[in-house]
Amino acid sequence: MPSLDPTPPPWPGETIGVGGVKLHIRRTPGGPETAVYVHGLGGSSTNWTDLAALLAPEAGGTSVDLPGFGYSEPADDFDFSLDAHAEVVANHIESLETGPVHLLGNSMGGAVALLVAARRPELVKTLTLISPAMPDLRPSMKRLSDPRMAFAYLPLIGPRVRRQLAALGPRERAMQVIKLCFADPARFAESRLDELEQEHSARAEFAWAAPALARSTFGIFRTWSARGPASLWAVAPTVATPTLVVWGQHDRVISVRRAERTARLIPHARLLVLPRTGHVAQMERPNVVAKAVLGMWEAVETDTW
């Protein structure tokens, strides 16, 4: 595997039309295969810069900003459910006209990717799930980038808390996210923090950004509360795609306790748990994740997965 520039810049973004939706994406030029990358709640296409660069010799890729995130302005009637996000991703893959793709998703994007693989198996060659948002309803303040968020919508004190949160600067917001998602925030390069600060600053100007985050959060909880066929635990066994499940041992957002069950339920899945790693392994340990992903791709090609 080629060595990686420690902090390669994100490829420039572009806005495309997909099934009536305006979708902001970043294309990483590369090899003959095609990879599609789906970020998590509050994330964006830049969450995949390092991993996409490492995988580029084998697969060019597109990383998407889901509607309401990054620079993808949502349509007025978009409902922000996991199902709606999955439909957008499936439509995007179909529009590429490359045949089945290597689909990679993190957190909320992992749940979205799981749904795509289950419902549109002809679109997905391999599936990589990095700390996917499998049902995890445990109450814990440690899962919040700012503990005050738990009180933001309570009567009486809610408005004051929301004003306090709104007063945070973009760099402070960015650093809070990194502290939550990385086991070791010191591993996050200063240049990456600059990029994230710029993105947070830009999104502060978008009237749709905060409502999109809130509604997508509620969409996740609705799916987590589902029973029967709509449960993600029921969806997982229907995925026939070769799958790599990656989890950080120190994930504070979606507990690593969900890892073994997730990998066991998906018929053709293998599990990699990484020590000293948090919720975004593709950002915190891109080299290790890239080697694992390339290993899966090779095994699938040789029919040894």
Side-chain angles (χ1 to χ4, degrees):
M1 186 174 64
S3 61
L4 173 67
D5 173 351
T7 53
W11 282 88
E14 60 181 286
T15 298
I16 61 174
V18 177
V21 174
K22 291 182 179 179
L23 198 64
H24 187 267
I25 66 169
R26 298 180 192 275
R27 300 184 193 270
T28 304
E33 299 287 311
T34 301
V36 171
Y37 304 91
V38 190
H39 65 78
L41 184 71
S44 75
S45 54
T46 57
N47 292 171
W48 298 99
T49 301
D50 294 330
L51 185 61
L54 286 165
L55 298 178
E58 296 295 327
T62 63
S63 50
V64 303
D65 286 343
L66 292 171
F69 297 92
Y71 295 95
S72 288
E73 182 175 357
D76 292 339
D77 60 351
F78 192 75
D79 73 3
F80 297 97
S81 65
L82 289 180
D83 289 337
H85 284 303
E87 183 177 2
V88 169
V89 172
N91 288 340
H92 170 57
I93 295 172
E94 202 164 30
S95 74
L96 297 175
E97 299 182 345
T98 61
V101 304
H102 300 290
L103 182 59
L104 300 91
N106 170 231
S107 193
M108 180 182 78
V112 168
L114 182 79
L115 291 171
V116 173
R119 296 170 181 174
R120 300 293 305 275
E122 76 281 3
L123 298 179
V124 185
K125 185 173 183 177
T126 71
L127 180 65
T128 299
L129 304 176
I130 302 174
S131 291
M134 301 304 286
D136 188 357
L137 292 168
R138 63 196 165 91
S140 174
M141 299 289 278
K142 294 180 180 179
R143 303 173 72 184
L144 300 176
S145 59
D146 189 316
R148 289 174 294 182
M149 293 172 64
F151 307 102
Y153 292 95
L154 292 179
L156 301 178
I157 67 170
R160 184 175 78 251
V161 171
R162 291 198 295 273
R163 286 194 297 271
Q164 292 173 352
L165 294 173
L168 293 174
R171 196 172 189 86
E172 189 174 5
R173 289 175 181 270
M175 200 61 233
Q176 283 185 336
V177 172
I178 297 309
K179 287 179 178 178
L180 173 67
C181 292
F182 272 55
D184 180 7
R187 293 181 63 90
F188 196 64
E190 193 72 17
S191 60
R192 285 281 180 261
L193 184 58
D194 293 340
E195 293 166 3
L196 191 56
E197 178 186 6
Q198 292 172 10
E199 190 167 293
H200 276 259
S201 181
R203 282 180 57 77
E205 303 299 319
F206 301 151
W208 42 264
L213 179 64
R215 293 183 64 188
S216 288
T217 302
F218 292 138
I220 292 172
F221 281 110
R222 280 196 301 271
T223 300
W224 282 1
S225 301
R227 297 292 182 266
S231 168
L232 292 176
W233 296 124
V235 172
T238 71
V239 174
T241 306
T243 302
L244 173 66
V245 178
V246 180
W247 227 289
Q249 183 71 49
H250 300 285
D251 191 334
R252 290 189 291 273
V253 181
I254 307 293
S255 172
V256 70
R257 295 176 183 176
R258 303 295 185 274
E260 191 278 333
R261 183 182 181 188
T262 301
R264 174 169 45 83
L265 286 175
I266 300 173
H268 303 289
R270 296 183 187 178
L271 174 63
L272 173 64
V273 175
L274 297 177
R276 303 180 303 280
T277 306
H279 186 58
V280 287
Q282 81 277 14
M283 298 174 71
E284 192 165 12
R285 301 200 179 274
N287 287 281
V288 176
V289 174
K291 289 177 182 177
V293 171
L294 289 171
M296 174 178 62
W297 291 359
E298 182 179 354
V300 169
E301 286 297 325
T302 58
D303 200 24
T304 57
W305 185 259

